[in-house]
Amino acid sequence: MELVLFLTGAGISAESGIPTFRGPEGYWQIGSRNYRPTELATFAAFREMPSEVWGWYLYRRGVCLAAEPNPAHVALVRLERAIGERFHLITQNVDGLHLRAGHDPERVYRIHGDLHSFRCMEDCSFDVHPIPDDLGPKWEKGRLPTADELERLRCKHCGALGRPHVLFFDESYNEELSYFESARRKAFDADALFVVGTSFATNLPNQLAAIAETRGIPLYIIDPEPGPYARLAEASGGGYFQGSAVELLPPLIEREID
Ligand code: OAD
């Protein structure tokens, strides 16, 4: 077994109790209006109503902090420990569960950022800062941060308001914040690509699957829904495995390790 590349999406954390993006629980109410994540998780929305957008993210942060890594996250750590630098993980998830399960952070590219950090909304630097520990846990749904709480989310360098360190829907990938080139390079180096729980709704994951196809490496997909690449996976020498991450990933990894 040579370089094994994993790509994960919200589906791997579903059985930890974190709602997926496109599942039915995704809505958010502000005043009398319901927003979809695709409307609220944008830089345009953040500029217009930073307090409301921060309220949503701090609530989500609280949900993620209360969740625990599940056996699928743990199985990936076991594989990393077994094969070391031949393992690499690209994740779209901002929940922090992969790192909490025990991965070496150097081998995990978090291409959409994470819910536990913020950075300058004016981009005065690429530095990211931890969100204070008490902002998020037990956050009531719909609560807005107070003026004092927002003060604690200011850029440490220039004093501008901080923003969640996540890739918003109206933003593009880059290397500095989302490891765009590094992730693509890993796909060019990989001998197999394993994908768990993503709908392939964003650009970079699609590019990784396309690179795998062009190179003719085996593509394995675990997801209850076939999605756009199941047939490619079947034809690639890998396979599409229909079902949940917790049910299917640990036994697949045990077979790889043996
Ligand atoms: P989605 O919510 O779009 O898709 C979740 C995927 O997980 C779907 O294909 C489900 O079928 C699958 N799924 C659900 N339960 C599962 C389970 N128990 N085991 C395995 N798979 C399961 O989430 P993502 O594909 O991660 O981006 O979404 C990609 C990105 O879009 C997110 O990172 C976020 C979002 O908008 C940004 O914030 C930029």
Side-chain angles (χ1 to χ4, degrees):
M1 192 164 45
E2 302 299 329
L3 181 72
V4 179
L5 182 61
F6 273 83
L7 167 67
T8 60
I12 196 169
S13 297
E15 288 155 283
S16 291
I18 300 177
T20 60
F21 272 87
R22 290 166 182 83
E25 310 94 332
Y27 288 96
W28 191 253
Q29 196 169 11
I30 294 178
S32 58
R33 222 197 117 177
N34 273 326
Y35 290 82
R36 287 173 178 278
T38 41
E39 296 173 285
L40 210 54
T42 63
F43 191 68
F46 183 75
R47 208 176 251 300
E48 195 181 314
M49 42 180 186
S51 180
E52 285 79 359
V53 173
W54 261 122
W56 185 55
Y57 274 100
L58 291 172
Y59 168 75
R60 290 185 57 213
R61 176 169 192 250
V63 169
C64 295
L65 286 171
E68 293 296 331
N70 66 45
H73 297 104
V74 172
L76 286 179
V77 173
R78 189 166 139 59
L79 179 62
E80 181 192 73
R81 296 204 174 137
I83 68 171
E85 60 193 23
R86 290 183 293 134
F87 173 89
H88 220 98
L89 170 60
I90 296 171
T91 187
Q92 299 164 81
N93 297 346
V94 293
D95 54 37
L97 292 185
H98 283 306
L99 292 190
R100 279 174 52 200
H103 283 289
D104 175 350
E106 295 282 303
R107 279 199 279 272
V108 183
Y109 292 145
R110 286 168 291 161
I111 60 174
H112 292 170
D114 76 83
L115 278 179
H116 310 298
S117 314
F118 70 98
R119 63 177 202 264
C120 180
M121 78 172 280
E122 302 297 346
D123 288 332
C124 82
S125 82
F126 291 130
D127 290 355
V128 300
H129 314 284
I131 293 176
D133 286 349
D134 58 319
L135 299 187
K138 303 201 174 82
W139 198 268
E140 231 172 85
K141 199 167 188 175
R143 156 153 132 67
L144 300 184
T146 62
D148 283 352
E149 286 167 340
L150 283 180
E151 276 307 304
R152 296 166 66 206
L153 294 167
R154 286 200 171 271
C155 173
K156 308 286 181 226
H157 303 304
C158 73
L161 184 61
R163 53 163 284 173
H165 173 48
V166 296
L167 182 72
F168 284 135
F169 282 102
D170 51 355
E171 296 178 315
S172 314
Y173 291 99
N174 60 27
E175 176 61 21
E176 292 77 6
L177 296 167
S178 38
Y179 307 102
F180 181 72
E181 282 307 331
S182 302
R184 281 171 45 87
R185 227 173 9 251
K186 285 289 167 210
F188 278 111
D189 291 343
D191 296 286
L193 175 62
F194 290 78
V195 179
V196 186
T198 181
S199 64
F200 286 98
T202 53
N203 174 285
L204 182 50
N206 279 286
Q207 290 202 29
L208 302 179
I211 293 169
E213 180 179 19
T214 308
R215 295 188 51 240
I217 61 172
L219 170 66
Y220 298 82
I221 295 180
I222 292 179
D223 200 299
E225 302 294 331
Y229 295 105
R231 285 177 63 189
L232 172 64
E234 294 287 358
S236 71
Y240 165 57
F241 302 88
Q242 185 160 36
S244 96
V246 165
E247 171 201 355
L248 297 178
L249 187 58
L252 185 78
I253 284 182
E254 289 310 316
R255 278 203 303 280
E256 283 292 314
I257 290 174
D258 283 345

